[in-house]
Amino acid sequence: DQQVKQNSPSLSVQEGRISILNCDYTNSMFDYFLWYKKYPAEGPTFLISISSIKDKNEDGRFTVFLNKSAKHLSLHIVPSQPGDSAVYFCAAYNQAGTALIFGKGTTLSVSS
Amino acid sequence: DAGITQSPRYKITETGRQVTLMCHQTWSHSYMFWYRQDLGHGLRLIYYSAAADITDKGEVPDGYVVSRSKTENFPLTLESATRSQTSVYFCASRAGVDSPLHFGNGTRLTVT
């Protein structure tokens, strides 16, 4: 059973608009979450993270929001740029804190 | 250059053959990981290692063997390759608890 879920396989947004990528998790013991970005033929690269003691973390155009009661997090990209077109993975550290559990990914397409 | 490198980038092998994918990191990170990426499944953990000579199974370990005699190397061996092991394999490492994983650029393996 999937513990980290990204229910939208794809998202299309126009340049300059906001992109919102969503992620749900099932295990309330998860306490550290990360977003990764992946271009074709490259490995995933770390984008931004959030600890469960916070509900928001910002880094430039990227903001991650965490709603612990709903077991939901989202990544906001403002403004979106064509170079943001990639697959975005949501991930959470397992209970032991030893390994990352990934969602299936959302493909973001930003058109100019 | 510092970082994490995987070799080969591409590999085609036949069913039943043994094949080893190599991973080398120059950061002296304690933790190393092997993931596979498949359409519809995202990234799934195969094996991980907390330190030299310490390895543990992930979500999909069957058919794979790992070893870690040196901190910087973490090879993944398919003892008798099957078509279901056709995938893109990513190696990753991390410095410590709650640190992000840093990924290599992957090995695309095709089993015919």
Side-chain angles (χ1 to χ4, degrees), chain B residues 52-102:
Chain B
D53 297 322
I54 300 174
T55 62
D56 213 341
K57 295 178 181 179
E59 182 186 353
V60 288
D62 293 342
Y64 303 95
V65 173
V66 292
S67 62
R68 189 139 179 238
S69 56
K70 291 184 177 182
T71 300
E72 61 267 29
N73 296 323
F74 191 37
L76 176 74
T77 297
L78 288 67
E79 293 189 298
S80 178
T82 65
R83 288 200 180 93
S84 64
Q85 293 177 309
T86 292
S87 186
V88 181
Y89 291 85
F90 290 101
C91 179
S93 70
R94 77 160 203 232
V97 176
D98 284 350
S99 298
L101 268 60
H102 299 275

Side-chain angles (χ1 to χ4, degrees), chain B residues 6-107:
Chain B
Q6 294 184 236
S7 60
R9 284 300 309 272
Y10 303 92
K11 176 75 178 177
I12 300 173
T13 193
E14 293 177 342
T15 301
R17 299 264 195 175
Q18 182 181 83
V19 60
T20 296
L21 310 184
M22 305 301 291
C23 180
H24 175 77
Q25 53 108 352
T26 59
W27 291 303
S28 299
H29 286 170
S30 295
Y31 280 87
M32 294 188 76
F33 306 82
W34 276 105
Y35 285 85
R36 60 180 287 177
Q37 184 190 10
D38 303 289
L39 204 60
H41 289 281
L43 289 155
R44 293 182 291 174
L45 181 65
I46 305 170
Y47 268 97
Y48 65 98
S49 168
D53 297 322
I54 300 174
T55 62
D56 213 341
K57 295 178 181 179
E59 182 186 353
V60 288
D62 293 342
Y64 303 95
V65 173
V66 292
S67 62
R68 189 139 179 238
S69 56
K70 291 184 177 182
T71 300
E72 61 267 29
N73 296 323
F74 191 37
L76 176 74
T77 297
L78 288 67
E79 293 189 298
S80 178
T82 65
R83 288 200 180 93
S84 64
Q85 293 177 309
T86 292
S87 186
V88 181
Y89 291 85
F90 290 101
C91 179
S93 70
R94 77 160 203 232
V97 176
D98 284 350
S99 298
L101 268 60
H102 299 275
F103 284 85
N105 280 330
T107 294

Side-chain angles (χ1 to χ4, degrees), chain A residues 48-67:
Chain A
I48 193 169
S49 62
I50 188 164
S51 163
S52 60
I53 62 172
K54 294 185 174 182
D55 53 20
K56 176 182 171 182
N57 189 26
E58 241 177 301
D59 184 1
R61 296 185 297 113
F62 302 91
T63 303
V64 56
F65 295 91
L66 176 61
N67 182 333

